[in-house]
Amino acid sequence: DQQVKQNSPSLSVQEGRISILNCDYTNSMFDYFLWYKKYPAEGPTFLISISSIKDKNEDGRFTVFLNKSAKHLSLHIVPSQPGDSAVYFCAARRGGGADGLTFGKGTHLIIQP
Amino acid sequence: GAVVSQHPSWVICKSGTSVKIECRSLDFQATTMFWYRQFPKQSLMLMATSNEGSKATYEQGVEKDKFLINHASLTLSTLTVTSAHPEDSSFYICSAKSNRGGSNQPQHFGDGTRLSIL
């Protein structure tokens, strides 16, 4: 049962435009959400996170939005740059003292020049 | 900062062999480290949570006698796949979480180990 879903396996965006990556979850006990970026042959690199008590967190070109009622979060990258081309993973923490993360399958973002 | 080193990056061995994978946090201390596994076209799946100085907590369906975890120090955790068989072939990746800064700290990942059992 996939508790964290990233329904778009890939996304192509023109350089300079906004990239929006989406993530849906089913477990209402998740209390902390993270986005990771992964290049080939490397481990995931932490990008940005958000606590379940917030609805927005911004860090430079990256903003994460959380809609708890819809169990949906999104990552906005603006403006998109060629170096942003990578696989992006959405992850959620179970809460209740359990620190393990549940991951989505990832979205491959391709920034077109 | 927050560098996690994992090695080996690639292992090929015969069925029945035991394989040890090391995970080190290089520039921070980590009371808690995590081991994940990823099969092709699947997401990363948590196998176990490793706590320094105590027994690991395994996820449902993960055999603790098969996947031995040792977390002997605040910077080192090891995963040993005992008597590995072809079905254990997978991508194994560790992560570590810093002790400092409160509970909402991200996990930092190593580069993973590709294990192939012949």
Side-chain angles (χ1 to χ4, degrees):
Chain A
D1 178 30
Q2 193 77 15
Q3 295 188 37
V4 177
K5 298 179 184 178
Q6 292 177 259
N7 291 320
S8 298
S10 66
L11 175 67
S12 184
V13 174
Q14 201 165 13
E15 182 179 357
R17 308 292 285 264
I18 184 171
S19 295
I20 300 176
L21 296 100
N22 293 303
C23 178
D24 297 293
Y25 63 96
T26 57
N27 190 339
S28 57
M29 297 300 292
F30 289 145
D31 68 349
Y32 182 53
F33 302 89
L34 309 91
W35 284 94
Y36 285 86
K37 175 181 178 180
K38 185 182 181 304
Y39 293 118
E42 294 182 8
T45 301
F46 169 70
L47 203 54
I48 192 169
S49 63
I50 188 167
S51 166
S52 60
I53 62 174
K54 297 190 175 180
D55 55 19
K56 178 182 175 182
N57 188 26
E58 190 172 352
D59 184 1
R61 295 187 299 115
F62 303 93
T63 304
V64 55
F65 295 93
L66 174 63
N67 183 333
K68 279 188 69 176
S69 61
K71 295 191 176 68
H72 177 84
L73 65 156
S74 60
L75 174 68
H76 293 212
I77 306 172
V78 55
S80 300
Q81 298 174 355
D84 296 331
S85 295
V87 178
Y88 289 79
F89 290 95
C90 171
R93 186 179 70 185
R94 288 177 292 189
D99 268 343
L101 298 178
T102 302
F103 280 83
K105 290 186 178 182
T107 296
H108 186 192
L109 177 64
I110 301 162
I111 305 302
Q112 307 273 12
Chain B
V3 177
V4 175
S5 173
Q6 182 176 344
H7 72 90
S9 56
W10 193 287
V11 180
I12 302 174
C13 58
K14 293 181 179 180
S15 184
T17 307
S18 292
V19 178
K20 180 186 279 189
I21 303 169
E22 288 190 352
C23 180
R24 295 180 185 272
S25 56
L26 297 186
D27 53 359
F28 66 99
Q29 291 187 331
T31 304
T32 309
M33 290 185 173
F34 306 84
W35 289 95
Y36 293 82
R37 178 169 55 182
Q38 184 179 29
F39 291 109
K41 300 189 187 236
Q42 300 297 315
S43 54
L44 287 170
M45 297 291 290
L46 179 67
M47 297 177 66
T49 301
S50 167
N51 296 295
E52 187 264 339
S54 64
K55 291 183 179 180
T57 303
Y58 290 82
E59 295 299 297
Q60 191 172 7
V62 178
E63 301 174 56
K64 61 181 181 181
D65 295 331
K66 175 78 169 175
F67 300 99
L68 300 179
I69 292 172
N70 184 278
H71 192 156
S73 76
L74 288 173
T75 59
L76 173 65
S77 176
T78 61
L79 169 69
T80 302
V81 184
T82 61
S83 187
H85 289 96
E87 58 267 27
D88 299 321
S89 298
S90 187
F91 182 70
Y92 294 85
I93 191 166
C94 71
S95 69
K97 182 181 160 187
S98 174
N99 293 352
R100 299 188 173 186
S103 61
N104 283 355
Q105 293 297 309
Q107 294 176 24
H108 299 283
F109 285 81
D111 287 342
T113 298
R114 176 74 57 194
L115 176 62
S116 296
I117 308 299
L118 305 177

